[in-house]
Every structure is written in structure tokens, then in C-alpha cells.
């Protein structure tokens, strides 16, 4: 444990409040009281211990919507990095990855090493430490399948420990770590399979892009290349030259409906065709939020006020099209979409990013 009285040693301390927009992929968010960068797990702990309340732990800023008033307290930027092998045998390797390690660098490295398990999660922005927070997932894979534990600093009792995967409460775009400020993620352990081939491809669109049947395996590098291609076509790979990527990715989660609500939706949308859906446990059905938004009358490129717009490549991404739009403009568009979908189709959409000092 670190000495609570010690100041972070190598912090980049931007004592002058700067707009948080510069630290988010949306390019939105007002000033912070103070911004501190921490470059190791020990520094993260120190920074959190000595920081003035309230504290915001921020990494890649790709899953946050920060209000125009900014954040009044201390923002701790997670800038640690690195990976080490914890255990390995003929068939698998378990690695511990520091929270600030850029996620896609990790994915690329695992593929280069012939370690399978993360290949379909290629191209997702942000840090490794944030992946357990919402159980990051895409193209039929999610991190809950490979995470064995999450090393945290518990702000409640000042301890540092590894939370085993079974206690992380992983769910669709969620875990015990989302919407809380008790646990700060320091590193994440992944158990990966030694294999030149991907896991069975589960996502039909990806299988089509690879020219294989669902359930087949492909070389890891092929899986990565196909995922990156599909994602880029949807504006889901960060590209400074592409305003469609000035977003948080999907703004709404796919709603998970009980059978009665799903049947109601089928009735209300009878003349619109059947919604793309995925059966879940206990009779629950996950429905495509993009389809609901589209059928409620919001097509790709739909503009809001003040320079925000639905991405021209994906109905589910709300973008800072002009680059100078405000958070309140973005949330106004989001609430119009949410309310219209609810009124027309009876389904309530929920935001996927974490809203900080603002509300929908
Ligand atoms: C173009 C684009 C595409 C995307 N595609 C996907 C996708 O396919 N699938 C998917 O699941 N997500 C996707 N996302 C969302 C986002 O990239 C992921 O959720 C990512 O894991 C967020 O990482 P981050 O480091 O940017 O987190 P941040 O935005 O910095 O933080 C997100 C939340 O996690 C908390 N947090 C971050 N780091 C820590 C830490 N070390 N300890 C404690 N709390 C922490 C923050 O306080 C905040 O509440 C996409 C986003 C964009 C912009």
C-alpha cells in the first residue's frame, strides 16, 4: 500500500483547469477543477488518495458524456501501461495488463503472439482498465469470456486486491464496476488460448465478411482485419479525419425485453417488419436499438441542434458533427430519440456511456 500522505511522484499536473473536451472522443465537456495523470498503479492509488473530492477516474474518454459545466473535482487520468505473463502452459497464457494500456494495442499484441480470445474486440477505443467496467463486447465476443480477475483499489477500505471474475457481476454492457466510484481498476488479468485460429465466429455479419459459416474458426489476423474493416465502415474506429467517429460509439444499449413487452413491440411494429433480435436467458429478448431508432424516424445523418447529428454511417452513434457542439445539444438529440422511440414503439432506450455531471 502506498503512503497516503505522499504526492504522486511523476504526475503531469495540469493545475490550470482545462476543458475536459480534450480528453474525450466526443470532444465535449467543460473544465475540470484539477487534472492529474498517473502513470503506474501506485501513482493511480496515490492520486486517488490525495485528490480533493469529488474524483473522476478517466482513461480514454471514449465512454463518457461530460456536462458543459465540466467536473468540479479532481480528474485522475489513467496513463499506466504494460503487460506481464502471470502463468502459462502449453495451451494457454494468463496475462496481467495495466489499466492504462491502450486496448487495441493489447489486442494487436495478443494476435501477434498467437493468443486467441480478444480478436473480435479489435478496434475498440479506450483503455484496458475500462473494459471490465461495461464488459466491452463486439462481434460475438466480450471481455467477460477471458477475464479471470480485475485488480482494484477499493476506496472504501483502502485495500488493493484482485476481484475474481465470478464476483465482477459481468452482464450485457455492465458489471459491478459501472456507475460507481468505490473501485478503481489498476490492472486486468486475461486467460488467452494459444492458437493461430480465432474462437468459433459467432456473429453472422462477421462470418459473411470472412466468407465462412458461423461456428468456423479463421486465422487470428484475418478475424482482426475483417472486424476492423466492418467497424471502419460504421465509423466505429477512431479517425481524426472522420467526424462520424467523434462519438462514444453506440449511444444506447440494445434493450432487453421481457416476453410481454417484446410481443407488444411486435404488434406495434407489425407494418415495419420484424426487429432484429437475439434470444436471451429466461425468455428475455434483446432487440436492436439501431432498428428501433430507424423505425421511429431517425435515419443516418439526422441532424440535431447546435452541430450534433446521428452518424452518417450508423444509426446508433450520436456525433459531435461540427466539433464544437455542446453536451446539452447532444443530450437534447438523445432525449428526442429516446422519447420518440418510446411513444411510437413502447420501448425505453438507455444510454450506454456514463453520464458525468449531466443527465438524459
Ligand atoms: C468509436 C467508438 C466505438 C466503440 N465501440 C465499442 C464496442 O464495440 N463495444 C463496446 O463495448 N464499447 C465500445 N465503445 C465504448 C468504449 O470504447 C469502451 O467502453 C471503452 O472500454 C471505454 O474505455 P475508456 O478508457 O475510454 O473509458 P473512459 O471513457 O475513460 O471511462 C468510462 C467509464 O469507466 C470509468 N473508468 C475508466 N477507467 C477506469 C479505471 N481504471 N478504474 C475505474 N473506473 C474507470 C470512468 O470513470 C467512466 O465511468 C466505443 C467507443 C467509441 C468512441
Amino acid at each position: 500500500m502506498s503512503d497516503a500522505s505522499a504526492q504522486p511522484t511523476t504526475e503531469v499536473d495540469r493545475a490550470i483547469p482545462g476543458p475536459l473536451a480534450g480528453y474525450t472522443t466526443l470532444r465535449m465537456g467543460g473544465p475540470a477543477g484539477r487534472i492529474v495523470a498517473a502513470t503506474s498503479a501506485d501513482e493511480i492509488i496515490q492520486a486517488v488518495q490525495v485528490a480533493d473530492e469529488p474524483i473522476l477516474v478517466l482513461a480514454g474518454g471514449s465512454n463518457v458524456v461530460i456536462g458543459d459545466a465540466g467536473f468540479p473535482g479532481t480528474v485522475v487520468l489513467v496513463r499506466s501501461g504494460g503487460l506481464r505473463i502471470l502463468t502459462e502452459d502449453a495451451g494457454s497464457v494468463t496475462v496481467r495488463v495495466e489499466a492504462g494500456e491502450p486496448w487495441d494495442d493489447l489486442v494487436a499484441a495478443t494476435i501477434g503472439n498467437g493468443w486467441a480470445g480478444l480478436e473480435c474486440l479489435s478496434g475498440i477505443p479506450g483503455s484496458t482498465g475500462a473494459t471490465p467496467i461495461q464488459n466491452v463486447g463486439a462481434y460475438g465476443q466480450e471481455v467477460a469470456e477471458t477475464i479471470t480477475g480485475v485488480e482494484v483499489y477499493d476506496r472504501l477500505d483502502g485495500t488493493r486486491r484482485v476481484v475474481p471474475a465470478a464476483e465482477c457481476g459481468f452482464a450485457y454492457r455492465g458489471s459491478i464496476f459501472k456507475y460507481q466510484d468505490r473501485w478503481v481498476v489498476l490492472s486486468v488479468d486475461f486467460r488467452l488460448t494459444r492458437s493461430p485460429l480465432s474462437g468459433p465466429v459467432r456473429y453472422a455479419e462477421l462470418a459473411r465478411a470472412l466468407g465462412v459459416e458461423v461456428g468456423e474458426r479463421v486465422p487470428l489476423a484475418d478475424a482482426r482485419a475483417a472486424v476492423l474493416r466492418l467497424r471502419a465502415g460504421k465509423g466505429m474506429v477512431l479517425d481524426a479525419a472522420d467526424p462520424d467517429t467523434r462519438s462514444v460509439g453506440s449511444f444506447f444499449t440494445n434493450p432487453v425485453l421481457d416476453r410481454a413487452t417484446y410481443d407488444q413491440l411486435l404488434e406495434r411494429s407489425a407494418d415495419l417488419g420484424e426487429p432484429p433480435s437475439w434470444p436471451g436467458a429466461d425468455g428475455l429478448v434483446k432487440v436492436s436499438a439501431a432498428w428501433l431508432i430507424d423505425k421511429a424516424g431517425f435515419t443516418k445523418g439526422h441532424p440535431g441542434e447546435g452541430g450534433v447529428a446521428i452518424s452518417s454511417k450508423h444509426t446508433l452513434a450520436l456525433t459531435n458533427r461540427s466539433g464544437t457542439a455542446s453536451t446539452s445539444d447532444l443530450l437534447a438529440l438523445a432525449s428526442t430519440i429516446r422519447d420518440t422511440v418510446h411513444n411510437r414503439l413502447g420501448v425505453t432506450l438507455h444510454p450506454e456511456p456514463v453520464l458525468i455531471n449531466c443527465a438524459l
Side-chain angles (χ1 to χ4, degrees):
M1 282 280 305
S2 312
D3 174 2
S5 64
Q7 292 291 325
T9 46
T10 60
E11 70 174 48
V12 178
D13 187 349
R14 300 168 203 271
I16 304 160
L20 285 166
Y23 299 93
T24 67
T25 54
L26 267 172
R27 295 282 174 259
M28 288 174 170
R34 188 161 179 263
I35 303 177
V36 177
T39 59
S40 67
D42 286 341
E43 276 190 28
I44 295 169
I45 294 172
Q46 283 180 319
V48 166
Q49 284 174 334
V50 303
D52 296 326
E53 297 281 346
I55 296 171
L56 170 62
V57 178
L58 191 65
S62 63
N63 209 31
V64 287
V65 180
I66 301 177
D68 295 316
F71 186 76
T74 302
V75 175
V76 177
L77 294 176
V78 178
R79 295 293 182 260
S80 52
L83 162 163
R84 68 191 163 92
I85 292 177
L86 290 183
T87 58
E88 58 183 324
D89 56 33
S92 72
V93 54
T94 300
V95 290
R96 175 159 294 176
V97 188
E98 297 302 312
E101 182 70 19
W103 173 251
D104 196 48
D105 290 359
L106 170 67
V107 176
T110 61
I111 289 170
N113 287 337
W115 301 339
L118 305 179
E119 57 282 355
C120 295
L121 303 174
S122 293
I124 298 176
S127 64
T128 301
T131 60
I133 309 270
Q134 72 156 8
N135 181 18
V136 155
Y139 294 97
Q141 226 168 39
E142 53 185 28
V143 289
E145 295 162 32
T146 43
I147 288 178
T148 58
V150 177
E151 187 194 14
V152 296
Y153 172 67
D154 187 340
R155 294 182 62 208
L156 205 61
D157 58 14
T159 57
R160 179 176 178 168
R161 65 175 184 281
V162 174
V163 181
E167 292 169 25
C168 290
F170 288 128
Y172 165 62
R173 291 304 89 79
S175 74
I176 58 165
F177 307 115
K178 199 166 178 181
Y179 309 126
Q180 58 78 42
D181 55 11
R182 171 177 171 183
W183 295 289
V184 181
V185 175
L186 302 174
S187 67
V188 187
D189 297 347
F190 298 89
R191 184 167 185 270
L192 304 168
T193 308
R194 287 188 193 278
S195 166
L197 297 182
S198 68
V201 175
R202 296 189 195 122
Y203 205 78
E205 185 191 18
L206 178 59
R208 273 196 303 278
L210 284 159
V212 299
E213 296 296 321
V214 168
E216 285 185 50
R217 298 170 191 268
V218 297
L220 292 174
D222 291 3
R224 176 169 170 80
V227 167
L228 288 175
R229 243 187 348 264
L230 287 172
R231 294 186 67 92
K234 298 175 186 173
M236 289 291 174
V237 179
L238 288 187
D239 175 356
D242 182 355
D244 276 327
T245 72
R246 230 177 274 132
S247 76
V248 283
S250 303
F251 193 89
F252 295 104
T253 52
N254 291 320
V256 179
L257 309 180
D258 59 32
R259 193 69 223 185
T261 316
Y262 181 63
D263 288 342
Q264 234 170 42
L265 169 65
L266 291 183
E267 262 173 47
R268 292 175 86 148
S269 64
D271 54 339
L272 302 171
E274 198 165 320
S277 60
W278 302 267
D282 305 326
L284 297 173
V285 185
K286 186 157 76 179
V287 178
S288 162
W291 186 91
L292 295 168
I293 294 169
D294 187 70
K295 297 304 173 193
F298 301 95
T299 46
K300 289 173 188 165
H302 177 96
E305 299 289 322
V308 297
I310 293 178
S311 160
S312 69
K313 301 187 184 74
H314 198 314
T315 325
L316 208 42
L318 305 190
T319 67
N320 179 356
R321 185 86 206 166
S322 66
T324 54
S326 68
T327 302
S328 56
D329 288 328
L330 185 87
L331 294 178
L333 175 60
S335 63
T336 303
I337 292 170
R338 180 198 56 192
D339 296 347
T340 311
V341 167
H342 188 263
N343 293 339
R344 299 214 175 140
L345 297 164
V347 177
T348 306
L349 296 177
H350 297 283
E352 181 176 309
V354 177
L355 272 53
I356 292 158
N357 236 3
C358 58
L360 185 59

